[in-house]
């Protein structure tokens, strides 16, 4: 699957140099100063990074991405998704928010909340037996940018959330 690696530098750098070795099982699809789209062809640990320049200064940062084998759930990337609506409200928030999901049929789901800055999963829950979900969260999580990953049997979808 294609993975998007985002540059969330603050303050915005004058220029960015991506430091990605695409000689092996990692293939770069697209790259600009804001993001890089890559495909991992095999499981493993991959180190990606970038060098941000601001004036005469620069800083490098590297992160390790772990790619694992599929977990065996049936996921047809070419089939029709059962996800009709998926959103988080309010967004931005203070750690108190709801995730609203409407599917076109009853299905089990998995919701993961991942801190974009650290890569740490702050919540990982499974739900089943419904067509509509309105899930409240009251989390004491650090301010930052998070990705909420929704997984169903027929696909997945990601949302970005900001905690102030």
């Amino acid at each position: 699957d294609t993975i998007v690696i985002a540059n969330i530098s603050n303050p915005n750098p004058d220029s960015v140099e991506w430091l990605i070795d695409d000689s092996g099982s990692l293939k770069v699809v697209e790259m600009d100063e804001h993001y890089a789209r890559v495909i991992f062809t095999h499981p493993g640990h991959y180190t990606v990074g970038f060098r941000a320049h601001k004036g005469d200064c620069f800083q490098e940062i590297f992160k390790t991405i772990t790619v694992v084998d599929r977990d065996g759930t049936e996921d047809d990337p070419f089939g029709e998704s059962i996800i009709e609506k998926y959103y988080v409200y309010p967004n931005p928030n203070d750690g108190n928010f709801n995730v609203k999901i409407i599917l076109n049929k009853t299905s089990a789901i998995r919701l993961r909340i991942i801190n974009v800055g650290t890569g740490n999963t702050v919540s990982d829950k499974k739900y089943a037996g419904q067509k509509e979900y309105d899930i409240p969260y009251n989390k004491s999580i650090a301010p930052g940018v998070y990705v909420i990953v929704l997984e169903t049997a027929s696909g997945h979808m990601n949302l970005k959330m900001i905690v102030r």
Side-chain angles (χ1 to χ4, degrees), residues 30-88:
E30 183 180 2
M31 183 184 304
D32 70 16
E33 66 185 41
H34 303 291
Y35 67 91
R37 289 184 343 129
V38 299
I39 295 175
F40 300 97
T41 58
H42 294 89
H45 301 284
Y46 300 87
T47 301
V48 298
F50 70 93
R51 180 179 298 129
H53 297 268
K54 185 77 170 173
D56 293 334
C57 300
F58 73 90
Q59 182 175 9
E60 293 179 348
I61 187 165
F62 291 90
K63 296 288 182 176
T64 301
I65 298 173
T66 302
V67 177
V68 297
D69 280 323
R70 294 176 62 96
D71 65 2
T73 59
E74 293 300 318
D75 186 3
D76 180 4
F78 302 105
E80 186 175 323
S81 174
I82 64 170
I83 303 167
E84 288 186 5
K85 292 186 180 180
Y86 173 44
Y87 55 94
V88 59

Side-chain angles (χ1 to χ4, degrees), residues 52-149:
H53 297 268
K54 185 77 170 173
D56 293 334
C57 300
F58 73 90
Q59 182 175 9
E60 293 179 348
I61 187 165
F62 291 90
K63 296 288 182 176
T64 301
I65 298 173
T66 302
V67 177
V68 297
D69 280 323
R70 294 176 62 96
D71 65 2
T73 59
E74 293 300 318
D75 186 3
D76 180 4
F78 302 105
E80 186 175 323
S81 174
I82 64 170
I83 303 167
E84 288 186 5
K85 292 186 180 180
Y86 173 44
Y87 55 94
V88 59
Y89 65 95
N91 191 14
N93 61 64
D94 62 0
N96 296 307
F97 58 93
N98 283 50
V99 177
K100 179 76 172 180
I101 302 157
I102 300 175
L103 309 173
N104 63 18
K105 67 180 182 179
T106 299
S107 179
I109 63 168
R110 178 181 181 193
L111 273 179
R112 289 183 292 144
I113 302 174
I114 302 167
N115 182 314
V116 171
T118 64
N120 292 333
T121 300
V122 298
S123 179
D124 187 348
K125 296 183 178 182
K126 294 180 181 180
Y127 302 90
Q130 296 181 17
K131 186 176 171 182
E132 293 188 22
Y133 297 87
D134 195 356
I135 304 163
Y137 285 85
N138 184 355
K139 304 288 289 177
S140 295
I141 55 178
V145 179
Y146 293 82
V147 173
I148 304 175
V149 181

